[in-house]
């Protein structure tokens, strides 16, 4: 049985404004991306996930769409987009588009019409409620902070927004909304996109009732009644069926949850191909035990029809090198995480810049901050009596600009990203593509070699685990596919370890990584340097 293309693929997330600036206005764009397709090919990427490039006032950097059928002027034209698809396909790279179905920008004409009068036919495309005794209809909080309800003076009602007040939630119980969004899906598929990354897909449906959400012991709201509501899976199923009217789209959903039992509901037959595994990917503090426990849990929870995803950074979180790495071992830790991502069971998603070890950005002035979540955190901190310094610290922690700084291509003033000063400051400029290409031991070349191995051995992209264990900070697994068996050992310790592998090795065993491929004798113990990962065909 042949595997669908995406099961073998290594994906790469491109944060569109930050990858490469083709017209030197300081903002990344489609022309810039086209100019770097050969780079992605060199790295070994099969699929790119483009963050939203549609027309948008960009309050939330494009996750607030005002025209689903147009390319934002900052990013180029429709002709540029068509060329991107053609050029990517010519190189064997597929393109998946980020699609925001849950909400539109409040400047979208649909919302403008809906807001114009209570009896406007589009009123019901969004979620409106009367005030409750002069206050918002319930206690629901927006994910960016503050109430999720915004009062509309003109019509005397509140509208619901799970994110910023400029992102109004659509009412997915209204069949016209569904129809309008299906037209969007069809439009981009006709343009040649190979699939979608569905933004906050588990938020799509509210139950139609609006009870208050409960709070946890720390006083934080539990989002019980505003996501994962009844009927959501049917809606997801319909969306997937619509996409699958064309052959083999890859459909991956952002299900905002770290609970694997919730995550797993959304994929499988008739549903999404995969969801982002936040249970693993968004771990705050580095812990081998946690990583291992999540790998094991995923292996137990997912059926053969479900595939986990493997990622440790994205445009919504800190870069893993900054989160997990401790001096002087940051690069080694990043290499080990890469080895895990590219050999464990699941679909890897590399976040742009992680392959060269770009660090998180720290902004020393709130005026430089672009992220709506960071700015909101700053304002709330000030309102609660914090000093400017304290508020800035909180905003840097909560804000997402940290992982969105421009890609660093070379050692020039603006890192080869642009000839103009970029929209967001550059992070630590000591790392860049040009420097790492030449260095055989660089993180970049580490990624390249691993991607090649992953593709060359079906056990690494198609196999399940035969063995999956952890002991004393060493994770080891064997992945097998038909006759092929590959052993991976990852040493997360600051010291070397020696690992007797006689039980697994045979006369025909072959050392694959790192270093040269060679024969390995069955009685040869595997020696691992601190933070080293090794791969052996057994
Ligand atoms: C998703 C996106 C995030 C955005 C939010 C609202 O979580 O990844 O960047 O702010 O949805 O659309």
């Amino acid at each position: 049985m042949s595997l669908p293309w995406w099961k073998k693929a290594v994906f790469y997330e491109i944060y569109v404004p930050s990858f490469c600036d083709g017209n030197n206005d300081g903002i990344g764009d489609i022309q810039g991306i086209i100019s770097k397709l050969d780079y992605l090919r060199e790295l070994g990427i099969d699929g790119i996930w483009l963050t939203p490039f549609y027309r948008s006032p960009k309050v939330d950097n494009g996750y607030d769409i005002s025209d689903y059928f147009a390319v934002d002027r900052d990013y180029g034209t429709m002709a540029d987009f068509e060329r991107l698809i053609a050029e990517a396909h010519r190189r064997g790279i597929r393109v998946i588009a980020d699609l925001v179905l849950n909400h539109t920008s409040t400047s979208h004409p649909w919302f403008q019409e809906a807001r114009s009068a209570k009896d406007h036919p589009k009123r019901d495309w969004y979620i409106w409620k009367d005030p409750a005794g002069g206050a918002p209809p319930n206690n629901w909080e927006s994910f960016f902070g503050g109430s999720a309800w915004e009062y509309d003076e003109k019509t005397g009602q509140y509208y619901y927004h799970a994110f910023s007040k400029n992102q109004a939630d659509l009412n997915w119980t209204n069949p016209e909304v569904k129809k309008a969004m299906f037209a969007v899906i069809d439009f981009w598929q006709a343009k040649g996109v190979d699939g979608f990354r569905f933004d906050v897909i588990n938020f799509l449906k509210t139950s139609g009732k609006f009870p208050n959400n409960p709070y946890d012991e720390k006083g934080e709201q539990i989002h019980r009644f505003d996501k994962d509501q009844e009927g959501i899976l049917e809606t997801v199923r319909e969306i997937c069926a619509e996409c699958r009217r064309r052959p083999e789209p890859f459909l991956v959903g952002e299900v905002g949850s770290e609970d694997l039992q919730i995550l797993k509901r959304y994929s499988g037959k008739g549903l999404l191909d995969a969801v982002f595994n936040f249970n693993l990917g968004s771990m705050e503090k580095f812990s081998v035990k946690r990583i291992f426990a999540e790998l094991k849990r995923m292996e137990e929870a997912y059926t053969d029809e479900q595939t986990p995803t493997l990622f440790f950074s994205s445009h919504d979180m800190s870069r893993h090198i900054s989160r997990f790495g401790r001096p002087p071992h940051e690069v080694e830790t990043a290499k080990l995480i890469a080895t895990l991502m590219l050999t464990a069971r699941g679909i890897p998603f590399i976040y742009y810049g992680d392959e060269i070890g770009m660090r998180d950005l720290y902004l020393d002035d709130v005026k430089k901050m672009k992220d709506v979540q960071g700015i909101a955190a700053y304002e709330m901190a000030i309102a609660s009596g914090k000093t400017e310094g304290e508020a800035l610290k909180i905003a840097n922690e909560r804000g997402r600009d940290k992982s969105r700084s421009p890609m660093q291509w070379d050692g020039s003033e603006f890192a080869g990203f642009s000839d103009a000063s970029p929209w967001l400051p550059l992070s630590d400029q000591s790392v860049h593509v040009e420097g790492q290409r030449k260095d055989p031991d660089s993180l970049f070349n580490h990624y390249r070699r691993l991607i090649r191995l992953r593709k060359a051995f079906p056990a690494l992209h198609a196999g399940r685990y035969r063995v999956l264990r952890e002991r004393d900070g060493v994770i080891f697994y064997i992945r097998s596919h038909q006759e092929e068996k590959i052993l991976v050992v990852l040493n997360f310790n600051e010291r070397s370890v020696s690992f007797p592998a006689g039980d697994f090795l045979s006369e025909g065993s072959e050392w694959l990584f790192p270093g040269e491929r060679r024969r390995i004798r069955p009685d040869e113990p595997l020696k691992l340097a601190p933070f080293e990962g090794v791969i052996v065909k057994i």
Side-chain angles (χ1 to χ4, degrees), residues 157-202:
Q157 282 192 310
Y158 284 87
Y159 65 87
Y160 175 58
H161 59 90
F163 295 90
S164 90
K165 64 172 192 233
N166 307 81
Q167 294 162 296
D169 274 53
L170 286 160
N171 173 16
W172 269 81
T173 54
N174 184 323
E176 285 173 28
V177 167
K178 195 162 64 186
K179 207 169 140 218
M181 282 305 189
F182 283 2
V184 172
I185 287 173
D186 200 48
F187 178 84
W188 291 102
Q189 283 190 316
K191 290 274 172 216
V193 306
D194 302 286
F196 296 102
R197 177 262 188 195
F198 292 115
D199 190 61
V200 293
I201 193 78
N202 60 327

Side-chain angles (χ1 to χ4, degrees), residues 457-468:
F457 293 95
L460 290 179
H461 59 249
R464 285 199 80 128
Y465 296 111
R466 268 269 169 118
V467 175
L468 177 59

Side-chain angles (χ1 to χ4, degrees), residues 86-196:
E87 292 290 330
H89 286 175
R90 204 160 63 77
R91 290 167 176 82
I93 298 175
R94 320 252 184 158
V95 180
I96 65 167
D98 207 323
L99 191 55
V100 189
L101 300 175
N102 180 67
H103 47 264
T104 70
S105 161
T106 47
S107 36
H108 195 293
W110 297 342
F111 186 79
Q112 292 297 322
E113 288 174 48
R115 138 182 281 178
S116 67
K118 265 173 134 171
D119 58 359
H120 191 282
K122 284 215 175 63
R123 182 75 171 178
D124 185 53
W125 282 38
Y126 294 85
I127 299 167
W128 297 93
K129 294 294 272 175
D130 288 328
N138 65 18
N139 73 348
W140 292 6
E141 285 172 10
S142 128
F143 284 81
F144 293 153
S147 173
W149 297 94
E150 182 69 13
Y151 188 65
D152 182 58
E153 287 286 343
K154 191 171 167 211
T155 54
Q157 282 192 310
Y158 284 87
Y159 65 87
Y160 175 58
H161 59 90
F163 295 90
S164 90
K165 64 172 192 233
N166 307 81
Q167 294 162 296
D169 274 53
L170 286 160
N171 173 16
W172 269 81
T173 54
N174 184 323
E176 285 173 28
V177 167
K178 195 162 64 186
K179 207 169 140 218
M181 282 305 189
F182 283 2
V184 172
I185 287 173
D186 200 48
F187 178 84
W188 291 102
Q189 283 190 316
K191 290 274 172 216
V193 306
D194 302 286
F196 296 102

Side-chain angles (χ1 to χ4, degrees), residues 193-234:
V193 306
D194 302 286
F196 296 102
R197 177 262 188 195
F198 292 115
D199 190 61
V200 293
I201 193 78
N202 60 327
F203 286 62
L204 235 53
K205 272 217 144 146
T206 45
S207 67
K209 301 182 203 84
F210 294 86
N212 280 335
N213 274 328
Y215 293 93
D216 66 12
E217 323 77 71
K218 285 188 257 155
E220 281 181 29
Q221 186 159 107
I222 304 172
H223 288 273
R224 182 167 299 156
F225 300 112
D226 51 4
K227 56 177 195 172
D228 305 305
Q229 297 301 298
E230 224 184 295
I232 179 69
L233 292 181
E234 281 63 51

